[in-house]
């Protein structure tokens, strides 16, 4: 577990930061794949966690959610639009091609079972000092989280900071295979860039201290 900023920790779940979740004060954001639970629980063993929040309910973010919530006896929160997927575990239904071999692999080996959502989040809500930002496109109910006081942004999958095939670091749009609406996601990229964040925490890829890279990337669209 790596300290990123005050009360913000990155928990890398795959080598080279290929999949990450984050601890923000007493809130766990995202939960990797189904087999990530032991890493997450070990990282949290000396922490008092009160809730678990999803940026979105894809297999590499909700995979351990049920196990984590049951083990720590904490509630699950997400957006209203992600709630059905978080509760039923049908993580690929929004994919452009849910029958693709990779989609089927994720559903069979990565996805966790659904878990009841205790509360939903919307634009402008606050959680652990972060403001909820609605950033749809990669999934219909995708959320990001921004702390204006120091510019820390939990991006989720609006942008990745690595090529998911080569693992080479750099800003990319999320793969079309897993993105329900590319144009909507590009609008969300521009929305996040307009916040002028200083530290970007990604679902995929290493943390980035932003020195204009995000604004330059968003300007492409």
């Amino acid at each position: 577990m790596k300290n990123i900023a005050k009360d913000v920790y990155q928990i890398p779940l795959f080598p080279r930061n290929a999949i990450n979740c984050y601890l923000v004060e007493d809130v766990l954001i995202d939960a990797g794949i189904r087999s990530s639970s032991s890493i997450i629980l070990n990282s949290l063993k000396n922490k008092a966690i009160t809730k678990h929040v999803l940026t979105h309910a894809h297999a590499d973010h909700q995979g351990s959610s049920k196990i984590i919530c049951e083990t720590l006896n904490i509630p699950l929160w997400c957006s209203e639009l992600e709630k059905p997927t978080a509760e039923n575990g049908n993580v690929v239904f929004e994919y452009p091609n849910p029958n693709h071999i990779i989609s089927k692999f994720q559903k069979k080996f990565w996805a966790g079972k659904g878990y009841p959502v205790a509360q939903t989040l919307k634009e402008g809500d606050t959680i652990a000092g972060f403001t909820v930002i609605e950033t749809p496109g990669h999934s219909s109910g995708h959320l990001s989280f921004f702390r204006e006081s120091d510019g820390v942004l939990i991006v989720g999958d609006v942008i990745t900071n690595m090529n998911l095939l080569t693992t080479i670091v750099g800003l990319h749009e999320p793969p079309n295979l897993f993105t329900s609406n590319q144009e909507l996601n590009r609008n969300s990229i521009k929305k996040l860039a307009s916040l002028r964040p200083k530290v970007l925490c990604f679902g995929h890829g290493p943390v980035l201290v932003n020195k204009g890279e995000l604004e330059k990337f968003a300007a492409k669209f």
Side-chain angles (χ1 to χ4, degrees):
M1 189 159 66
K2 181 180 179 181
N3 186 211
I4 302 302
K6 184 179 184 295
D7 298 323
V8 179
Y9 296 86
Q10 176 196 14
I11 305 174
L13 301 174
F14 267 44
R16 297 176 62 83
N17 309 283
I19 298 179
N20 303 303
C21 66
Y22 295 90
L23 176 63
V24 177
E25 292 185 356
D26 56 353
V27 178
L28 175 68
I29 298 180
D30 290 336
I33 66 173
R34 192 189 314 156
S35 61
S36 300
S37 60
S38 59
I39 296 175
I40 296 171
L41 289 169
N42 186 60
S43 298
L44 301 178
K45 62 184 178 182
N46 295 318
K47 303 287 186 179
I49 310 302
T50 64
K51 60 185 69 69
H52 172 37
V53 174
L54 293 177
T55 57
H56 61 300
H58 285 177
D60 49 346
H61 295 259
Q62 64 77 250
S64 293
S65 292
K66 177 179 170 64
I67 298 170
I68 297 295
C69 288
E70 289 181 342
T71 302
L72 300 180
N73 192 28
I74 57 176
L76 175 64
W77 293 14
C78 65
S79 71
E80 184 68 37
L81 290 175
E82 295 296 302
K83 180 180 177 182
T85 304
E87 293 187 333
N88 65 32
N90 185 12
V91 297
V92 301
F93 92 100
E94 267 196 334
Y95 283 9
N97 184 0
N99 293 315
H100 190 283
I101 187 172
I102 298 177
S103 304
K104 288 183 174 180
F105 174 88
Q106 288 188 357
K107 187 173 182 179
K108 184 173 182 179
F109 295 105
W110 283 13
K113 293 182 179 179
Y115 190 79
V117 172
Q119 185 167 326
T120 58
L121 295 163
K122 64 182 185 305
E123 179 92 12
D125 287 346
T126 58
I127 186 163
F130 281 70
T131 300
V132 175
I133 311 294
E134 293 180 354
T135 47
H138 180 61
S139 70
S140 60
H142 191 287
L143 300 176
S144 302
F145 304 91
F146 182 57
R147 190 165 68 185
E148 187 175 10
S149 62
D150 59 0
V152 177
L153 176 66
I154 309 293
V155 178
D157 282 5
V158 179
I159 312 164
T160 69
N161 195 26
M162 65 165 26
N163 182 306
L164 297 185
L165 291 177
T166 66
T167 72
I168 294 173
V169 173
L171 298 181
H172 295 273
E173 295 178 78
N176 291 341
L177 179 61
F178 315 127
T179 300
S180 60
N181 188 321
Q182 184 185 53
E183 283 305 311
L184 200 57
N185 191 72
R186 287 177 172 177
N187 290 337
S188 291
I189 292 173
K190 291 186 283 187
K191 182 178 183 178
L192 292 182
S194 73
L195 299 173
R196 303 286 178 178
K198 296 177 181 177
V199 180
L200 308 179
C201 303
F202 303 89
H204 307 284
V207 170
L208 173 68
V209 176
N210 183 40
K211 297 178 179 178
E213 292 94 338
L214 174 59
E215 292 78 11
K216 183 178 180 180
F217 181 70
K220 296 178 181 180
F221 313 119

